[in-house]
Structure formats: C-alpha cells, structure tokens
Amino acid sequence: MKSKQIQLDELAQLVQGEPIGQNHLLLDGLASLPQAKAHQIAFVNGDKHIEDAQASQAGALIVTAAMREHLSNHQNFIIVDNPYLAFAILTHVFESKVTQRGIESTAQIDPSALIADDVYIGHYVVIGKNVVIGANTVIQSQTKIDDHVEIGKDCFIDSHVTITGEAKIADRVRIHANTVVGGEGFGFAPYQGKWNRIAQLGSVRIGHDVRIGSNCSIDRGALDDTILENGVIIDNLVQIAHNVRVGENTAIAAKCGIAGSTTIGKNCILAGACGVSGHISITDNVTLTGMSMVTGNILEPGTYSSGMGLLENSKWKRTVVRLRQLADVPLTKLVKQIDHMQAQIESIESTLKLRK
Amino acid sequence: MKSKQIQLDELAQLVQGEPIGQNHLLLDGLASLPQAKAHQIAFVNGDKHIEDAQASQAGALIVTAAMREHLSNHQNFIIVDNPYLAFAILTHVFESKVTQRGIESTAQIDPSALIADDVYIGHYVVIGKNVVIGANTVIQSQTKIDDHVEIGKDCFIDSHVTITGEAKIADRVRIHANTVVGGEGFGFAPYQGKWNRIAQLGSVRIGHDVRIGSNCSIDRGALDDTILENGVIIDNLVQIAHNVRVGENTAIAAKCGIAGSTTIGKNCILAGACGVSGHISITDNVTLTGMSMVTGNILEPGTYSSGMGLLENSKWKRTVVRLRQLADVPLTKLVKQIDHMQAQIESIESTLKLRK
Amino acid sequence: MKSKQIQLDELAQLVQGEPIGQNHLLLDGLASLPQAKAHQIAFVNGDKHIEDAQASQAGALIVTAAMREHLSNHQNFIIVDNPYLAFAILTHVFESKVTQRGIESTAQIDPSALIADDVYIGHYVVIGKNVVIGANTVIQSQTKIDDHVEIGKDCFIDSHVTITGEAKIADRVRIHANTVVGGEGFGFAPYQGKWNRIAQLGSVRIGHDVRIGSNCSIDRGALDDTILENGVIIDNLVQIAHNVRVGENTAIAAKCGIAGSTTIGKNCILAGACGVSGHISITDNVTLTGMSMVTGNILEPGTYSSGMGLLENSKWKRTVVRLRQLADVPLTKLVKQIDHMQAQIESIESTLKLRK
C-alpha cells in the first residue's frame, strides 16, 4: 500500500485540534502506542495509557491538554478534548479507499436497471431488472443485486453480498462481504403434519448510514417490511428475521439473533450473541450484556443480563445438580420459616431462663 | 413489480373457501390488516385480531364463519376453516416467481454434467464434473455446484450457494443464498500436540421438500453421510455438523447448532439458537425452547428448556454471586434439616407446656 | 467418483502398521464398521466397538494387537498402536483431491499480482493489485482475493471466500467456502448520539497449517493485526473480532464468537457456541465446554463451563422463578444461621433433660 504523507498541522486541523511541536512533521499512518514508529501518529485513550504513551516511539501523539503534562518524552502533539473521536476521524484519512469508478465489462446488468454515472461496479456482479443504484456507490466483485432492489448514494457493498426480496436501501449504507439482505423469511403453516411454505411478500427497508457486517442474514418480511432505521450498526453473523424493526442508532454486536416481528427501540446496545424472541418489544435506550436471552417485552430503559457466568468445571457440575433441586425448594418460604423458627427458639430460651 | 389481478371468487376457489360479497372484485395482493388497501385482501389470524380487522381498509378478508359475524364494516369475505392456511396458500399466487428458463451464456458447465432441459441456470454459475440437475430446477447466479453433486427436480438454489462434498439433493428442495452444503466436517486427530486433519469421505443426503435458509453450513460426513430427511425446514445461520441425522418434518430455527454424529427425531421443533452436543440422540416430537443447551439424550417427547432468562443487571449480578455459592449449599439436605428442626422445636414447646 | 484400489500391505506401510491376512487384498475405500463392504477397510476406535467390528462386513480392519484377539470373524487386519490416527492418515489416500493446475480463462487477475506457476485458480475468481499467491495453492471458483493480500504455498481456498483487509496468509492454510477473512472490524466512536465509523487500518495474519471452516468472519484489526498463530483450527460460523489473537494449535468449534482484542492461549479447546468477551486474556491449555460464557480473564489451565443444562419445560419454569428469588436469599448466611439454630435447639434439649 502506497502511503500518504500528511503534516502534523494538517492532521490537527482535520480534528479541530491544536498542533504542538514540529508543525511540518510528515506522518504517514496511525498506529497503536506499542507499535507506532517515528513516522506515525498514535492516540492516548485515557489516563491508564499514559505509561505506554511515554514509552511509545510514535512521532506524534493525540492527547488532551491534561495528558500532555505527563508526556515529557514527547515533543509533537495534537491537543483535543476527545482523543478517541479524533482518532476515529483520522482513520478515514489513512484508509485505502476504493477510488476506481466505472463498470467492469464482466458485470451483467439488466438493461432496465438505472445506474448512476459515477459508481463502481466490480467484476462478475449481477444486477437484475429495474434495479436502481445511486451516485458514488461502490459494488464489489461477484455481488448479486436482484430484481427491483434499490440502493442509494455513497453506499459500499462488498463482494459476495446477495441483495434480493426487492430491498430498498438508503444512502451511505455499508454492507460487508457475504451478507444476505432480503432472503426469504422462515414462515411455514403447519397442516396435517407437514410444513406449508408461506411465500414472503414483504420486503426490507434499510435507512441512511446503516452498517451491516459480514455473513449476516436480514430477511424480507412476510407481508409488511423488515425495517432497519437510520444509523443502525450491525456486526457479523447476525440474524434479523422477517418483520423485525430496529430503531435509530441501535448497535447490534456479532452473533445476535432477533426473531420475527420483534421491535427494538432507538439507541439500544445488544452485546454479542444475544437472542431475542419473536413478537416482543424492547423500548429505547436498553443495553443487553453478552449472551442475554430475552423472552418478554422490556418496557424500562436500563441494562439487562442473563447467563450464570463461567465456573470451574467440577464446581459447575455441582452447581447444576443444585439448580436441578432448586425447582422444588421454596426459597422465600424457607427464609420466612427460618426466621419464624429463630423467633420460636428465642422465645423458648426466654421461657427457660424465667423458670430457672 | 407488475401486479397480478385476481377475482375474489377465483381466490376463494384456490383455498376451497366460500366467497361472499362482490364475487368479481379484483384483488392484486395480500397485505396485513393495518397496511391493506382497497385492492388487497387480508386474513384474520384468530379472534384477537377482530378489532384490527374491523378497522382495516382491506378490500376483502379471509375469515372463519364465526369471525364474520363481528365484522360489520366489511362486505367481501372468503370463508374458510383455517384462515392462516388459506393465507399460506394465497401467498404463492402473489409471489414473484422465477419463470425464466434456459442457461445463461456465462455459466460454466462441465461437459459431463447432465442438465435437464427446462432448468434456469444464472450468470456465472459454475457446475463441475458429473453433476446432475433435474427438471424445472432454478439455480441463481454465481452459485457453485461442485463435482458429482446431484440435484433433483423443482429445486430452487439461490445465489452464492456452494454445494460440494458430492451431496445428493432430492426434489423440491430450496436452499437460500450463501449457504454451504457439503463442506468439510471438522475432524482432526490429535497426535503429538498437533491436529491431524481427517479428510472427510462421507457426503450429504437431503430429502424431498427440505428447506435450508441463508448462510447455513451443512457439513459432509466423515465416512457415512450427513442426512436431512424429507420435509426438514431450517432457518438461517444454522450449523449441521458431520454425520448428523435430522428426522422428517423437523424444524430448526435460526442460529441453532447441531454437533457431530447427533440424531434428531421426526417432528421436532428447535427454537432459535439452541445448541445440541455431539453423539447424542433426541427422540421424535421434542420441542426445545430458544437457546436451549442439550448435552445428553432426550428419550421422552415433550418440551425442554434452559437458560435463566433475563434479569435487570444489578439483580443479575447478585444472582450470579448466589449461584456461585450454590455448589456448596446442600439444598435438599437443608430442607430436611429445617423440617427436622421444626419438629424438634414443636416437641420442645409441647414439653414446656406440659411442665408449666 | 472413480475409486482408487490399493493393496492391504501398501495401506499398512502408509501407517507404519503390520498387515495380517491377504497382503494383496485390493481395497478401494474407508468406511464405518456398519456400512463397510468387502472391498473397504474400517477402523475400530476403542474396545466399545469390538461387537460392531465382529459384525462388520469390512474386507479388512485397522486394530490394535489386543483388539485383534476378539475379532475371530475377520482375517485381514492392519495392526497399529493408534487406529484412529491410522484412519486419519488413510483418509488422505482415498480423498478426491483437486489435482487440476492452471488458471481458468475467466479468472480476473490484476497484472501486478504475483502468481506461482503451479497453482489452480478457478472460474470467476477475482484477484486484486499486488496479490501474491504461492506454489501449489488451489483457489476455487468465484473467490475474491482483494488488493495486497498474500497467500502462501499449498493452501486450499474454497468457493465464495472473500479475503480482504490486506490479509497475510502463510502455508498449508485451508479456508472453506463462503468465509470472510479481513472484513472490517466493528469499531465505532459514539459522539453526539451517533456512531462514528472507525476505518480499520490493521490487517489479519494467519500462520501455517491454520484451518478455517465455512461461513466464518475473521475481521481485520483496528490498528494492529488480528492474529491466528500456526496450527489453529476453526469450525464453521465462527466470529473472530478485530485484534483477537489465538495461540498455536488452539481449536475453536462451530458458532463460537471471540470479541475484540481478546487473547487466547495455545492448545486451548473451545467447544461449540462459546462466547468470549472483549479485552480479556485466556491462558494456555484451557478447555471450555459448549456454550460457555467467558466475561473475565482465565489465568489457570483447566476445564471451565457455564449454562444450567436442559430441564423439562415445567420444571424449568419453576427453576427460573426460584432463580429470580435467589438474588435476595443470603445462602451462606442462611446455612450458618441454620447450624447455629441447630446448636441452640440441642442446647435447649440438654437443658430440658437435665431439669427432668
């Protein structure tokens, strides 16, 4: 990768920070504190990293004004209020972007498709009937955009993505490799001992600035649409079933699964591998810790959890034995009984003292 | 999507129902009660939806005779015994099917492959040696059918599917996008601190009417075959390991994983994200609720569950502390001890009364 | 599949075993004990399979010297110390390997790519700028190797794999179908209620002899690299987040997820569907049983577990009720209280006896 060289003061300007030291110092990359070289810039993500920062070989550091006081080994800084945000902004400067535009000759595009002029469409992409693709969108090689799908402006769709089910995708959406959007929902009517397939007639609607990781499955709706609102971010290997609705700016980590017709509010955070049942509702501002199991509505914002955590195997085995006994142990009744017995004993003791 | 228009009485005939109202009313789609317009038909899935049905703008409703009594706002009906089943049947009428037939010029097909005349094979499909593909089967773009794979009649294979491991697939099978059938099973012999790969020589056999969702992995067997019997339905992101056998009409929801050499019976239902250990057996007619963890045989039909459910985070933390104490608390012994103490106390109290 | 025929004594030589019986017996495949025919060889994996072995129709058996004593129905054997290992070795003899070499005319290869002479590159493969591919590596159809990716010698990459993020892959690595290596890590800086994407600038480094199953997601690092050390084996549908490091010869079963920046030691075994939190450390020689939930460091080698196991549904419901009471039941305090009450009762009883 050819590296880009940028001056310290130019980088400072991009993050609205104050450059200190050699303003014209040329930097060609971001790096972590332990790995950074003299031609790279690193950031200090909180006071607990001050020691690592002192020891770092980075050519310059992104810090708060307060942190700088402790970094006597260094001379070149960008001073900002929020080093993590400044780092996030600068990653875009050093990223290798797909700058190529045009349509590869091997892409198969139905004549009815409407493709904006300045897109990139890679090799062996297949685009169906009446597809619409907006300006500046990049579609990597071997992706499939099925009939009637619409994709907005400035999107990035990586290789081997399948978009079907007449999905409608807004602007600045990023969909990573091998993800399926608009696949058939899992709908079957049981009848006489067999499963009768319900053809799925709804679609998928994806808002602006949505991000979907790799190997995800986002199913089309049965009748109404599956909906991801603006700003939703989703990690890898996530299942979104038919007719789910996910509210604005909700984040869903890897390996979560949301069953059919469930609604998740805005600004929620689902940590990895959570499972959410179908036909329930989760309000706004709910955080689920990893591997949570949600089987009913969540009506109050807050943080929720499940799972017993990790135990050494032999202790776990004993715990499971106790758990299996627990169903038949009336805990709260027992506590009351013990309290009552304690009172009885004390009463007996008093009686005995009196009669002594 | 160009819409198809069908008369009310024609739709009624398709579901063996009785049309009521304007028999010649033209309808062009199915919709949910809240979304339906005057040119669409909706169905009422049980009495709890009567109110929504009354308020619906649908041009016609699929109902039972009893429901109709409560729907004074409506004039056009199809009367059936099972509205959900009627709906399932009618979805197929309004579905956009792949009607195209033929082989795209860009498909790469080995000359030894036997392809029936009236298939559709999409762009950039790759078909290997001695492959057999039955009549009326649709293989969407960019799919890979590896050497010696056989696929029956009337199948639908979506884009980016990989079928390998000499898999044998029967008729009317549907495999959704980006699924892998016949991938190598995870078999390694540990020897001198290293993992020695066991090449997988078994295959995969898939029965009639099987349905597999998107992003699934169905591994080939080690020596014998992995088997999905007739009528099995599988949702997205499901793992079926080598030498698993799944019985007829069993349904497996998204994100389940079945480890190697396990047998699951007929007519079972696995809700989402269940995990089943290897080398065990689950009998017929077993239902597992979501996120169940199965580590031993299940010999009796019935419903089984695991998981502690969801707790508010601070309560969960206290619960986990208690759980960690539980291993060392002899619950049933304690209950007996408490009962015994209660008896002792009562005996003492009697003695004291007598001596008063 | 055309079958290869090999003599008993030749097979014995391959596993350094002793042939017994008809040395020139021609065998054309490995099979399981119940399925094996007279032209096949089977192996006996421990004494518990002796009965199956006696009943087997196999033409020859791989056994230990001790097992042979009990197999009077059979005449042809290969005697070895470790029949399972011998079986593992012989699977490679009967495996259908990709022997074709060359580059299909439909592969799109950037002129700057360096491709060794004796590779196989399948149809519709797309290879980007400055890619390096080593000798004897097989890349199946429709795979995408993005710019700056490097792949070593003797690798096998199946169809629909996406390798991006400038990943560096060593020798003898096997990556199964539809897996994504080097996808963008899930990094976002929250700011003013929105998620600001952090472009991922790190890469992925994969050691020698690593095996990755189908439908996995192995993300590139944020700044430093995600690392899989030599000999790591990974099953299907596994998530490896950005900046994870997995130590030598660690095995990760299907559906596991490892969150960002976590380090896993050498020779660990993660059974299926384990979830490991981010930014933690697991030492060498740790085994996790299936569905374990790891939220903190593991500093001691050993076996660890979580999960309550499976309960019949009605008992599970009662257990969950008790679990929800458990947070407010001071278990160890109660046990002490009960012991104390027992002592009080005994003391009272002594007193009463004395006063009789």
Side-chain angles (χ1 to χ4, degrees):
Chain A
M1 179 174 51
K2 208 159 55 186
S3 48
K4 204 178 292 189
Q5 289 194 314
I6 308 184
Q7 291 185 179
L8 183 66
D9 55 359
E10 290 176 290
L11 291 174
Q13 200 175 3
L14 288 168
V15 297
Q16 299 176 307
E18 181 195 355
I20 288 183
Q22 300 165 253
N23 278 356
H24 301 304
L25 179 71
L26 285 172
L27 295 158
D28 66 7
L30 272 161
S32 65
L33 289 170
Q35 299 287 334
K37 304 281 184 298
H39 52 91
Q40 293 174 315
I41 185 164
F43 78 107
V44 186
N45 191 19
D47 289 342
K48 65 182 172 185
H49 296 285
I50 288 287
E51 212 167 313
D52 284 350
Q54 267 291 63
S56 176
Q57 301 298 313
L61 294 174
I62 307 171
V63 294
T64 60
M67 284 171 179
R68 187 201 159 191
E69 306 302 312
H70 307 287
L71 295 168
S72 54
N73 292 356
H74 292 271
Q75 299 162 12
N76 302 308
F77 300 95
I78 297 176
I79 307 292
V80 293
D81 289 342
N82 185 340
Y84 188 55
L85 181 66
F87 152 68
I89 292 167
L90 291 186
T91 59
H92 296 266
V93 174
F94 293 107
E95 185 190 12
S96 314
K97 290 185 186 70
V98 177
T99 52
Q100 207 180 340
R101 288 298 176 270
I103 300 177
E104 299 288 358
S105 60
T106 59
Q108 293 288 343
I109 303 183
D110 189 274
S112 62
L114 286 173
I115 315 281
D117 284 345
D118 52 354
V119 299
Y120 174 71
I121 296 183
H123 282 294
Y124 304 127
V125 167
V126 175
I127 294 184
K129 293 185 183 118
N130 299 312
V131 165
V132 177
I133 296 181
N136 203 35
T137 281
V138 169
I139 297 183
Q140 292 284 50
S141 65
Q142 298 142 319
T143 272
K144 165 70 172 284
I145 315 289
D146 207 357
D147 300 348
H148 308 288
V149 167
E150 296 179 18
I151 300 176
K153 294 182 293 184
D154 301 309
C155 294
F156 174 83
I157 317 287
D158 207 346
S159 291
H160 300 123
V161 169
T162 303
I163 308 184
T164 182
E166 308 187 8
K168 304 292 174 272
I169 295 173
D171 301 337
R172 296 176 304 281
V173 169
R174 296 175 66 87
I175 302 178
H176 290 279
N178 293 52
T179 275
V180 180
V181 173
E184 184 170 275
F186 192 59
F188 291 81
Y191 185 65
Q192 298 185 331
K194 305 224 172 201
W195 296 106
N196 293 266
R197 172 175 166 254
I198 298 169
Q200 304 287 296
L201 306 175
S203 184
V204 176
R205 279 185 283 150
I206 293 182
H208 296 305
D209 302 298
V210 168
R211 187 272 196 195
I212 303 170
S214 61
N215 283 315
C216 291
S217 292
I218 318 288
D219 280 350
R220 70 188 297 181
L223 289 174
D224 300 335
D225 297 338
T226 303
I227 296 172
L228 304 181
E229 294 183 0
N230 296 339
V232 166
I233 59 173
I234 294 179
D235 198 356
N236 305 329
L237 289 159
V238 168
Q239 152 77 353
I240 304 285
H242 50 183
N243 300 105
V244 165
R245 181 178 195 120
V246 181
E248 276 185 33
N249 298 321
T250 281
I252 300 179
K255 292 186 62 236
C256 285
I258 319 293
S261 300
T262 277
T263 297
I264 297 180
K266 299 178 189 184
N267 305 314
C268 295
I269 296 176
L270 282 68
C274 292
V276 182
S277 291
H279 297 275
I280 68 172
S281 177
I282 297 180
T283 191
D284 300 343
N285 298 303
V286 165
T287 295
L288 299 176
T289 61
M291 297 178 94
S292 286
M293 168 181 173
V294 186
T295 58
N297 296 329
I298 302 181
L299 305 173
E300 295 297 323
T303 299
Y304 298 85
S305 303
S306 40
M308 63 153 67
L310 197 73
L311 295 162
E312 191 279 324
N313 180 258
S314 62
K315 182 164 185 179
W316 171 74
K317 283 181 180 163
R318 282 182 287 136
T319 303
V320 169
V321 169
R322 298 298 177 220
L323 269 169
R324 284 163 188 277
Q325 299 169 341
L326 198 60
D328 302 316
V329 175
L331 280 178
T332 46
K333 194 173 139 240
L334 273 187
V335 171
K336 277 185 200 150
Q337 187 180 358
I338 290 167
D339 285 349
H340 181 66
M341 284 160 64
Q342 187 73 63
Q344 287 177 301
I345 290 171
E346 275 153 27
S347 155
I348 292 169
E349 284 179 335
S350 306
T351 308
L352 287 177
K353 263 187 202 150
L354 283 172
R355 296 197 192 162
K356 207 183 280 180
Chain B
M1 179 176 49
K2 207 157 58 184
S3 48
K4 204 178 293 190
Q5 288 194 316
I6 308 184
Q7 291 185 181
L8 183 67
D9 55 358
E10 289 175 290
L11 291 175
Q13 202 175 2
L14 289 167
V15 297
Q16 298 176 307
E18 181 195 353
I20 288 183
Q22 301 164 252
N23 278 355
H24 300 303
L25 181 71
L26 285 171
L27 296 158
D28 66 5
L30 272 162
S32 65
L33 290 170
Q35 299 286 333
K37 305 282 186 293
H39 52 91
Q40 293 174 316
I41 184 165
F43 78 108
V44 186
N45 190 19
D47 289 342
K48 65 183 173 183
H49 296 284
I50 288 287
E51 212 167 312
D52 284 351
Q54 265 292 60
S56 175
Q57 301 297 315
L61 295 175
I62 307 169
V63 294
T64 62
M67 285 171 179
R68 188 201 158 190
E69 305 301 312
H70 306 287
L71 296 167
S72 54
N73 291 355
H74 292 270
Q75 299 160 13
N76 301 309
F77 300 95
I78 297 175
I79 308 291
V80 292
D81 290 340
N82 184 340
Y84 188 56
L85 181 65
F87 151 70
I89 292 166
L90 291 186
T91 59
H92 295 267
V93 174
F94 292 108
E95 186 189 11
S96 314
K97 290 185 186 69
V98 178
T99 53
Q100 208 179 341
R101 288 296 176 270
I103 300 178
E104 300 287 358
S105 60
T106 60
Q108 293 287 343
I109 302 181
D110 189 274
S112 62
L114 287 173
I115 315 281
D117 283 345
D118 52 354
V119 300
Y120 174 71
I121 296 183
H123 282 294
Y124 304 127
V125 167
V126 174
I127 294 183
K129 291 184 184 118
N130 299 313
V131 165
V132 176
I133 296 181
N136 203 34
T137 281
V138 170
I139 297 184
Q140 292 283 50
S141 64
Q142 298 141 320
T143 273
K144 165 71 170 281
I145 314 291
D146 207 358
D147 299 349
H148 307 287
V149 167
E150 297 180 18
I151 301 176
K153 294 183 293 182
D154 302 308
C155 294
F156 173 83
I157 317 285
D158 208 346
S159 291
H160 299 122
V161 168
T162 303
I163 308 183
T164 181
E166 308 187 9
K168 303 293 175 272
I169 296 173
D171 300 337
R172 298 176 302 282
V173 169
R174 297 175 65 87
I175 302 179
H176 291 279
N178 294 54
T179 275
V180 179
V181 172
E184 183 169 277
F186 192 59
F188 290 82
Y191 184 64
Q192 298 185 329
K194 306 225 173 200
W195 296 106
N196 293 267
R197 171 175 166 255
I198 298 170
Q200 304 287 297
L201 306 175
S203 184
V204 176
R205 278 185 283 150
I206 293 182
H208 296 305
D209 302 297
V210 168
R211 186 271 197 196
I212 303 171
S214 60
N215 282 316
C216 292
S217 293
I218 317 290
D219 280 350
R220 71 189 297 180
L223 288 174
D224 299 336
D225 297 338
T226 303
I227 296 172
L228 305 180
E229 294 183 359
N230 295 340
V232 166
I233 59 173
I234 294 179
D235 198 355
N236 306 328
L237 289 159
V238 167
Q239 154 77 353
I240 304 286
H242 50 183
N243 299 105
V244 166
R245 182 178 195 120
V246 181
E248 275 186 34
N249 299 320
T250 281
I252 300 180
K255 292 185 65 232
C256 286
I258 319 296
S261 300
T262 277
T263 297
I264 296 180
K266 298 177 189 185
N267 306 312
C268 294
I269 296 176
L270 282 67
C274 292
V276 181
S277 292
H279 297 274
I280 69 172
S281 176
I282 297 180
T283 190
D284 299 343
N285 299 301
V286 165
T287 295
L288 299 176
T289 62
M291 297 178 95
S292 286
M293 168 180 173
V294 185
T295 57
N297 295 331
I298 302 182
L299 304 173
E300 294 298 321
T303 300
Y304 298 84
S305 305
S306 41
M308 63 153 66
L310 197 72
L311 294 162
E312 191 279 322
N313 180 258
S314 61
K315 184 164 183 179
W316 171 73
K317 283 181 180 161
R318 281 181 289 135
T319 305
V320 169
V321 169
R322 297 297 177 221
L323 270 169
R324 282 163 190 277
Q325 298 170 342
L326 199 60
D328 301 317
V329 175
L331 280 178
T332 47
K333 195 174 138 237
L334 273 187
V335 172
K336 277 184 201 151
Q337 186 180 358
I338 290 168
D339 285 349
H340 181 66
M341 284 160 65
Q342 187 74 64
Q344 287 177 299
I345 290 171
E346 274 152 28
S347 155
I348 291 169
E349 285 179 335
S350 308
T351 309
L352 286 178
K353 263 186 203 147
L354 284 173
R355 297 199 191 164
K356 208 185 280 177
Chain C
M1 179 175 48
K2 208 158 54 184
S3 48
K4 204 179 294 188
Q5 289 195 315
I6 308 185
Q7 290 185 181
L8 183 67
D9 56 357
E10 289 175 290
L11 290 174
Q13 200 174 4
L14 288 168
V15 298
Q16 298 176 306
E18 180 196 356
I20 289 184
Q22 302 164 252
N23 278 355
H24 301 302
L25 181 70
L26 284 171
L27 296 157
D28 65 8
L30 272 162
S32 65
L33 289 170
Q35 299 287 334
K37 305 282 185 295
H39 50 93
Q40 294 173 316
I41 185 166
F43 77 108
V44 186
N45 190 19
D47 289 342
K48 65 182 173 185
H49 296 285
I50 288 287
E51 210 167 313
D52 285 349
Q54 267 290 63
S56 176
Q57 301 297 315
L61 294 174
I62 307 169
V63 294
T64 61
M67 285 171 180
R68 188 202 159 190
E69 305 302 313
H70 307 287
L71 295 167
S72 55
N73 292 354
H74 292 270
Q75 299 162 12
N76 303 308
F77 299 94
I78 297 175
I79 308 291
V80 292
D81 290 341
N82 185 339
Y84 189 54
L85 181 66
F87 152 68
I89 292 166
L90 291 186
T91 60
H92 296 265
V93 174
F94 293 107
E95 184 190 12
S96 315
K97 290 186 186 69
V98 178
T99 53
Q100 208 179 340
R101 288 297 175 270
I103 300 177
E104 298 288 357
S105 60
T106 60
Q108 293 288 342
I109 301 181
D110 190 274
S112 62
L114 286 174
I115 315 282
D117 283 344
D118 52 354
V119 299
Y120 174 71
I121 296 184
H123 282 293
Y124 305 127
V125 167
V126 174
I127 294 184
K129 293 185 184 118
N130 299 314
V131 165
V132 177
I133 296 181
N136 203 33
T137 281
V138 169
I139 297 184
Q140 292 284 51
S141 65
Q142 300 141 318
T143 272
K144 165 72 171 282
I145 314 290
D146 207 358
D147 300 348
H148 307 286
V149 166
E150 296 180 18
I151 300 176
K153 293 183 293 184
D154 301 308
C155 294
F156 175 82
I157 318 285
D158 207 347
S159 291
H160 300 123
V161 168
T162 303
I163 307 183
T164 181
E166 309 187 7
K168 304 291 175 274
I169 295 172
D171 300 337
R172 298 176 302 282
V173 169
R174 296 175 66 88
I175 302 179
H176 291 280
N178 294 53
T179 274
V180 179
V181 172
E184 184 170 276
F186 193 58
F188 291 82
Y191 184 66
Q192 299 185 330
K194 305 224 172 200
W195 297 106
N196 293 267
R197 171 175 166 254
I198 299 170
Q200 305 287 297
L201 307 175
S203 185
V204 176
R205 278 185 283 150
I206 293 182
H208 296 305
D209 302 297
V210 168
R211 187 273 195 193
I212 303 172
S214 61
N215 283 313
C216 291
S217 292
I218 317 289
D219 281 350
R220 71 189 294 181
L223 288 174
D224 300 335
D225 297 339
T226 303
I227 296 172
L228 304 181
E229 295 183 359
N230 295 340
V232 166
I233 60 174
I234 294 180
D235 198 355
N236 305 330
L237 289 158
V238 167
Q239 153 77 356
I240 304 285
H242 49 184
N243 299 105
V244 165
R245 181 177 196 120
V246 180
E248 274 184 34
N249 298 321
T250 280
I252 300 180
K255 293 185 65 235
C256 286
I258 319 295
S261 300
T262 278
T263 296
I264 296 179
K266 298 177 187 182
N267 305 314
C268 294
I269 296 177
L270 282 68
C274 292
V276 181
S277 292
H279 296 274
I280 67 173
S281 178
I282 296 180
T283 190
D284 299 344
N285 298 303
V286 165
T287 295
L288 300 175
T289 62
M291 297 178 94
S292 286
M293 168 180 172
V294 185
T295 57
N297 296 330
I298 301 181
L299 304 174
E300 294 298 323
T303 300
Y304 298 84
S305 305
S306 41
M308 62 154 65
L310 197 73
L311 294 162
E312 191 280 321
N313 181 258
S314 62
K315 183 164 184 178
W316 171 73
K317 282 181 180 162
R318 282 181 288 134
T319 304
V320 169
V321 169
R322 297 298 177 222
L323 269 170
R324 283 164 189 279
Q325 298 169 343
L326 198 60
D328 302 316
V329 175
L331 281 177
T332 45
K333 195 173 138 239
L334 274 186
V335 172
K336 277 185 200 150
Q337 186 180 357
I338 291 168
D339 284 349
H340 181 66
M341 285 160 64
Q342 187 75 64
Q344 286 178 301
I345 290 170
E346 275 153 27
S347 156
I348 291 168
E349 284 179 335
S350 307
T351 308
L352 286 177
K353 264 185 204 151
L354 283 173
R355 295 198 191 165
K356 208 185 277 178

